[in-house]
Amino acid sequence: MRAENYVDILEDGLLGTLKDQGIRKTGNSSSTFQQDNDPKHTSKLAKGWFKKRRFRLLDWPPSSPDMNIIEHVWDQLDALVRARSQLPRNKEEMWEALQEEWENFSQSSLDKLFESMPRRVGALVKARGGHTKY
């Protein structure tokens, strides 16, 4: 993915989601955006996009572990798909299986991951950007 693609996703996906959820996206809002130091995230184009829209970004140490909770969601979805009685045999079946498992994904699991963010970030700060149990 290139920086241009990432900014397109931010424009459509992030702004659209915030609008759908009724979350104020700029200025003195309480929202902080988290991303790692992937080159497309730190590109001049992406930095300019965030600055223009006055988003606050969570500072991210250069060599820190991936703290994004979506990684844990992907792991759980992977386990659910692999536990199916019949594994997907092609891309279409995989897409169907992922959609079905996502529809059945426990809201409490998502809530638990979301609620863990302050602990995760605190542990990362305490470790000065180094390894954490997360």
Side-chain angles (χ1 to χ4, degrees), residues 35-100:
Q35 61 183 2
D36 60 22
N37 291 316
D38 184 283
K40 65 186 157 290
H41 300 165
T42 58
S43 68
K44 287 181 184 179
L45 185 65
K47 286 179 180 180
W49 187 92
F50 283 110
K51 185 175 183 176
K52 179 180 176 183
R53 285 152 188 84
R54 298 177 13 202
F55 271 87
R56 287 185 305 173
L57 294 173
L58 182 66
D59 287 334
W60 211 251
S63 299
S64 67
D66 191 344
M67 298 292 286
N68 193 333
I69 61 175
I70 195 66
E71 300 298 331
H72 297 276
V73 173
W74 285 126
D75 288 344
Q76 290 178 33
L77 278 174
D78 180 58
L80 291 168
V81 169
R82 290 177 187 274
R84 294 169 72 97
S85 59
Q86 184 170 346
L87 294 175
R89 295 174 298 214
N90 55 46
K91 191 161 81 171
E92 290 77 23
E93 288 182 8
M94 176 60 88
W95 182 242
E96 284 181 31
L98 285 168
Q99 287 178 311
E100 288 173 12

Side-chain angles (χ1 to χ4, degrees), residues 18 23-25 27-33 55-57:
L18 292 175
I23 299 171
R24 194 167 156 241
K25 67 181 181 301
N28 297 323
S29 74
S30 61
S31 297
T32 301
F33 191 77
F55 271 87
R56 287 185 305 173
L57 294 173

Side-chain angles (χ1 to χ4, degrees), residues 61 63-65 123-124 127-132:
S63 299
S64 67
L124 184 62
R128 296 186 175 147
H131 180 73
T132 71

